[in-house]
Amino acid sequence: MQEKRLLIVDDDARIGRLAQRALKSAELVSQVLDDPLAFESVYASFRPDIILLDLQMAQRDGVQLLRYLADQDSSAGIVLMSGIDERIINTSKRLGESLGLNILATLQKPLELAALQRVLEAFYRAERSSPSVIQLIAQGELEEAIHNGAILPYYQPQLDLRTLQVTGAEVLARWHHPQHGLLPPADFIALAESTGLIEALTFSLLRQALQDFNFLLAVQPGLRLSVNLSPLLLEDLELPERIHTLLEDHGVEPSQLALEITESVRAPMPSRSMDILTRLRLKGIALSYDDLGKGYASVDQLYYLPFSELKVDKEYVIDLRRSADAAAIVRSTIELGQRLNLRVVAEGIETSESLMQLRALGCHAGQGRYFSLPLPLREILGWLERWQQRRAGLPEADAGGL
């Protein structure tokens, strides 16, 4: 493996030297910087692959250094560390990510060297010296994949958390790329939105999912499909009619479809969005509000727009048991949904503990790897059959993933 360069930035030189000695290996060259005012010159000459960065330093704080790294378009993996409040560390992490930096992890002081070693090992496995998939994909390649049907719908089941009955499935795009293998949406949705291909991609997935729907219903009657809808599509006043016609062509009732409004970008024209979303609801199509509190998503949208469902973001659900802040956000989001008579769906359920806690809070439905990862049609049909058999023999409170 090619030798990696680690820069440890901490105005307490003792901590830097301690980490340096503990991480000494044949594959790692490290340097300690205890004067953050000299960061620019050391960064330019050392060119680190990894930066272990203390946030709270007297002469210059870590946030200022994050901003400098963003200005330099740094691709270094960054590990943030501090002994300050966990909320500040987590906010700093999100700030770094919003600046386009590669934030590997956050660590509390006193520093646990074993935890840092695990982060570095994961970094090595990622082999960041190779170009990212996103950088390698061209617009023409994505357009061809949409046209040829290489981007397929995968299905992640949604369950009633009280009865553990499967009530729906979210449709998630997966690209079977000839060179890069199976690609998740994060690798191509932004490109689709920025190049005007998001409409073709959305309708391609919707058509394929509606074609699959009768096969799904044969195994699980009463199922509802959830399909993501970019706000960029909320400027086409003909969208409600186009979707309704597509449903009619496939013999699917409007009540069997939910559209999840994602917030990766801001809707171009709010008045048009209100028009389009209202008419979709008038046609009987459910509207789900995704990622409340993230990006441009806000409580205002719940007041002004006719949503029927609210999704709890997976980041908060995953951190439910280890973060008091995440637990408070999940609890308040569920309570808000209940008070507004909205169906509440939690994403990112990974453990039985999270499942039980969400049930106790009154969350209506959920999805996540605890039940199933997103699966192609043939595999989700098999999963649905096995789940029905397994569920019949399990206590409600002790359902296991399959």
Side-chain angles (χ1 to χ4, degrees), residues 295-318:
Y296 296 114
S298 71
V299 176
D300 283 351
Q301 305 282 11
L302 292 177
Y303 181 73
Y304 287 108
L305 298 172
F307 288 100
S308 53
E309 179 178 285
L310 176 60
K311 296 198 80 172
V312 185
D313 186 75
K314 63 182 178 182
E315 179 181 343
Y316 304 132
V317 176
I318 290 171

Short mmCIF file of all heavy atoms in Angstrom, two decimals, residues 295-318:
data_model
loop_
_atom_site.label_atom_id
_atom_site.label_comp_id
_atom_site.label_asym_id
_atom_site.label_seq_id
_atom_site.Cartn_x
_atom_site.Cartn_y
_atom_site.Cartn_z
N GLY A 295 -31.39 20.55 4.83
CA GLY A 295 -31.43 21.29 3.58
C GLY A 295 -32.39 22.45 3.66
O GLY A 295 -32.36 23.27 4.57
N TYR A 296 -33.29 22.52 2.69
CA TYR A 296 -34.28 23.59 2.65
C TYR A 296 -35.58 23.19 3.34
O TYR A 296 -36.53 23.97 3.38
CB TYR A 296 -34.56 23.98 1.19
CG TYR A 296 -33.37 24.55 0.47
CD1 TYR A 296 -32.79 23.86 -0.59
CD2 TYR A 296 -32.82 25.77 0.85
CE1 TYR A 296 -31.70 24.39 -1.26
CE2 TYR A 296 -31.74 26.30 0.19
CZ TYR A 296 -31.17 25.61 -0.87
OH TYR A 296 -30.09 26.13 -1.52
N ALA A 297 -35.67 21.95 3.82
CA ALA A 297 -36.91 21.47 4.42
C ALA A 297 -37.18 22.20 5.73
O ALA A 297 -36.29 22.39 6.55
CB ALA A 297 -36.82 19.97 4.67
N SER A 298 -38.44 22.62 5.93
CA SER A 298 -38.77 23.35 7.14
C SER A 298 -40.21 23.10 7.51
O SER A 298 -41.02 22.62 6.71
CB SER A 298 -38.52 24.85 6.96
OG SER A 298 -39.50 25.39 6.09
N VAL A 299 -40.55 23.45 8.76
CA VAL A 299 -41.91 23.28 9.25
C VAL A 299 -42.89 24.12 8.44
O VAL A 299 -44.07 23.75 8.29
CB VAL A 299 -41.98 23.64 10.75
CG1 VAL A 299 -43.41 23.56 11.27
CG2 VAL A 299 -41.08 22.71 11.56
N ASP A 300 -42.44 25.24 7.88
CA ASP A 300 -43.32 26.08 7.07
C ASP A 300 -43.99 25.29 5.95
O ASP A 300 -45.15 25.51 5.62
CB ASP A 300 -42.52 27.23 6.44
CG ASP A 300 -42.23 28.33 7.43
OD1 ASP A 300 -42.79 28.27 8.54
OD2 ASP A 300 -41.44 29.23 7.11
N GLN A 301 -43.23 24.36 5.35
CA GLN A 301 -43.77 23.59 4.24
C GLN A 301 -44.96 22.75 4.70
O GLN A 301 -45.91 22.54 3.95
CB GLN A 301 -42.68 22.67 3.66
CG GLN A 301 -41.41 23.40 3.23
CD GLN A 301 -41.55 24.11 1.90
OE1 GLN A 301 -42.63 24.23 1.37
NE2 GLN A 301 -40.44 24.58 1.36
N LEU A 302 -44.92 22.25 5.92
CA LEU A 302 -46.03 21.45 6.44
C LEU A 302 -47.27 22.32 6.62
O LEU A 302 -48.40 21.82 6.53
CB LEU A 302 -45.65 20.81 7.78
CG LEU A 302 -44.57 19.72 7.74
CD1 LEU A 302 -44.26 19.25 9.15
CD2 LEU A 302 -45.02 18.55 6.88
N TYR A 303 -47.07 23.58 6.87
CA TYR A 303 -48.20 24.49 7.07
C TYR A 303 -48.84 24.88 5.74
O TYR A 303 -50.06 24.91 5.60
CB TYR A 303 -47.73 25.74 7.81
CG TYR A 303 -48.84 26.74 8.08
CD1 TYR A 303 -49.80 26.49 9.05
CD2 TYR A 303 -48.91 27.93 7.36
CE1 TYR A 303 -50.81 27.40 9.30
CE2 TYR A 303 -49.91 28.85 7.60
CZ TYR A 303 -50.87 28.58 8.58
OH TYR A 303 -51.87 29.47 8.82
N TYR A 304 -47.99 25.13 4.73
CA TYR A 304 -48.50 25.68 3.47
C TYR A 304 -48.86 24.62 2.44
O TYR A 304 -49.63 24.90 1.51
CB TYR A 304 -47.47 26.63 2.86
CG TYR A 304 -47.36 27.94 3.60
CD1 TYR A 304 -46.24 28.22 4.38
CD2 TYR A 304 -48.37 28.89 3.52
CE1 TYR A 304 -46.15 29.43 5.07
CE2 TYR A 304 -48.28 30.10 4.20
CZ TYR A 304 -47.17 30.36 4.98
OH TYR A 304 -47.09 31.55 5.65
N LEU A 305 -48.32 23.42 2.54
CA LEU A 305 -48.51 22.42 1.50
C LEU A 305 -49.28 21.21 2.02
O LEU A 305 -49.19 20.88 3.22
CB LEU A 305 -47.15 22.00 0.93
CG LEU A 305 -46.36 23.13 0.26
CD1 LEU A 305 -44.95 22.68 -0.09
CD2 LEU A 305 -47.09 23.65 -0.98
N PRO A 306 -50.02 20.51 1.15
CA PRO A 306 -50.96 19.47 1.59
C PRO A 306 -50.33 18.09 1.78
O PRO A 306 -50.77 17.10 1.18
CB PRO A 306 -51.99 19.46 0.45
CG PRO A 306 -51.19 19.77 -0.76
CD PRO A 306 -50.15 20.77 -0.31
N PHE A 307 -49.32 18.00 2.62
CA PHE A 307 -48.69 16.71 2.86
C PHE A 307 -49.60 15.81 3.69
O PHE A 307 -50.38 16.27 4.53
CB PHE A 307 -47.34 16.90 3.56
CG PHE A 307 -46.28 17.48 2.67
CD1 PHE A 307 -45.96 18.83 2.74
CD2 PHE A 307 -45.63 16.68 1.76
CE1 PHE A 307 -45.00 19.37 1.91
CE2 PHE A 307 -44.67 17.21 0.92
CZ PHE A 307 -44.35 18.56 1.00
N SER A 308 -49.47 14.51 3.45
CA SER A 308 -50.23 13.52 4.22
C SER A 308 -49.33 12.63 5.05
O SER A 308 -49.81 11.84 5.86
CB SER A 308 -51.07 12.65 3.26
OG SER A 308 -50.25 12.09 2.24
N GLU A 309 -48.01 12.75 4.85
CA GLU A 309 -47.07 11.88 5.54
C GLU A 309 -45.79 12.65 5.85
O GLU A 309 -45.40 13.55 5.11
CB GLU A 309 -46.76 10.66 4.64
CG GLU A 309 -45.78 9.67 5.21
CD GLU A 309 -45.60 8.48 4.27
OE1 GLU A 309 -46.51 7.62 4.21
OE2 GLU A 309 -44.56 8.41 3.58
N LEU A 310 -45.14 12.29 6.93
CA LEU A 310 -43.90 12.92 7.37
C LEU A 310 -42.87 11.84 7.64
O LEU A 310 -43.15 10.87 8.34
CB LEU A 310 -44.15 13.74 8.63
CG LEU A 310 -42.95 14.42 9.31
CD1 LEU A 310 -42.29 15.40 8.37
CD2 LEU A 310 -43.41 15.12 10.59
N LYS A 311 -41.67 11.99 7.06
CA LYS A 311 -40.63 10.99 7.26
C LYS A 311 -39.58 11.52 8.24
O LYS A 311 -39.17 12.68 8.17
CB LYS A 311 -39.97 10.61 5.93
CG LYS A 311 -40.92 9.94 4.95
CD LYS A 311 -40.18 9.20 3.86
CE LYS A 311 -39.68 7.84 4.31
NZ LYS A 311 -39.13 7.04 3.20
N VAL A 312 -39.15 10.64 9.15
CA VAL A 312 -38.10 10.97 10.10
C VAL A 312 -36.77 10.56 9.47
O VAL A 312 -36.59 9.39 9.10
CB VAL A 312 -38.29 10.24 11.44
CG1 VAL A 312 -37.24 10.70 12.44
CG2 VAL A 312 -39.70 10.47 11.97
N ASP A 313 -35.85 11.48 9.32
CA ASP A 313 -34.59 11.21 8.62
C ASP A 313 -33.78 10.12 9.29
O ASP A 313 -33.70 10.04 10.52
CB ASP A 313 -33.76 12.50 8.54
CG ASP A 313 -32.51 12.31 7.70
OD1 ASP A 313 -32.62 12.26 6.47
OD2 ASP A 313 -31.42 12.20 8.30
N LYS A 314 -33.14 9.29 8.48
CA LYS A 314 -32.42 8.13 9.00
C LYS A 314 -31.23 8.51 9.88
O LYS A 314 -30.86 7.76 10.78
CB LYS A 314 -31.94 7.25 7.85
CG LYS A 314 -30.94 7.89 6.91
CD LYS A 314 -30.58 6.93 5.78
CE LYS A 314 -29.61 7.57 4.80
NZ LYS A 314 -29.28 6.64 3.67
N GLU A 315 -30.63 9.68 9.65
CA GLU A 315 -29.50 10.10 10.48
C GLU A 315 -29.90 10.19 11.94
O GLU A 315 -29.17 9.75 12.83
CB GLU A 315 -28.97 11.45 9.99
CG GLU A 315 -27.80 11.97 10.82
CD GLU A 315 -27.30 13.32 10.34
OE1 GLU A 315 -27.62 13.71 9.20
OE2 GLU A 315 -26.59 13.98 11.11
N TYR A 316 -31.10 10.73 12.21
CA TYR A 316 -31.56 10.86 13.58
C TYR A 316 -31.96 9.50 14.16
O TYR A 316 -31.72 9.22 15.33
CB TYR A 316 -32.76 11.81 13.65
CG TYR A 316 -32.48 13.18 13.06
CD1 TYR A 316 -33.38 13.75 12.16
CD2 TYR A 316 -31.34 13.89 13.40
CE1 TYR A 316 -33.14 15.00 11.62
CE2 TYR A 316 -31.10 15.14 12.86
CZ TYR A 316 -32.00 15.69 11.96
OH TYR A 316 -31.76 16.93 11.42
N VAL A 317 -32.57 8.66 13.33
CA VAL A 317 -33.00 7.34 13.81
C VAL A 317 -31.80 6.46 14.14
O VAL A 317 -31.79 5.76 15.16
CB VAL A 317 -33.91 6.66 12.76
CG1 VAL A 317 -34.28 5.24 13.20
CG2 VAL A 317 -35.18 7.48 12.55
N ILE A 318 -30.78 6.49 13.30
CA ILE A 318 -29.58 5.69 13.55
C ILE A 318 -28.91 6.10 14.85
O ILE A 318 -28.40 5.27 15.61
CB ILE A 318 -28.60 5.81 12.36
CG1 ILE A 318 -29.18 5.10 11.12
CG2 ILE A 318 -27.23 5.24 12.71
CD1 ILE A 318 -28.41 5.35 9.85
#
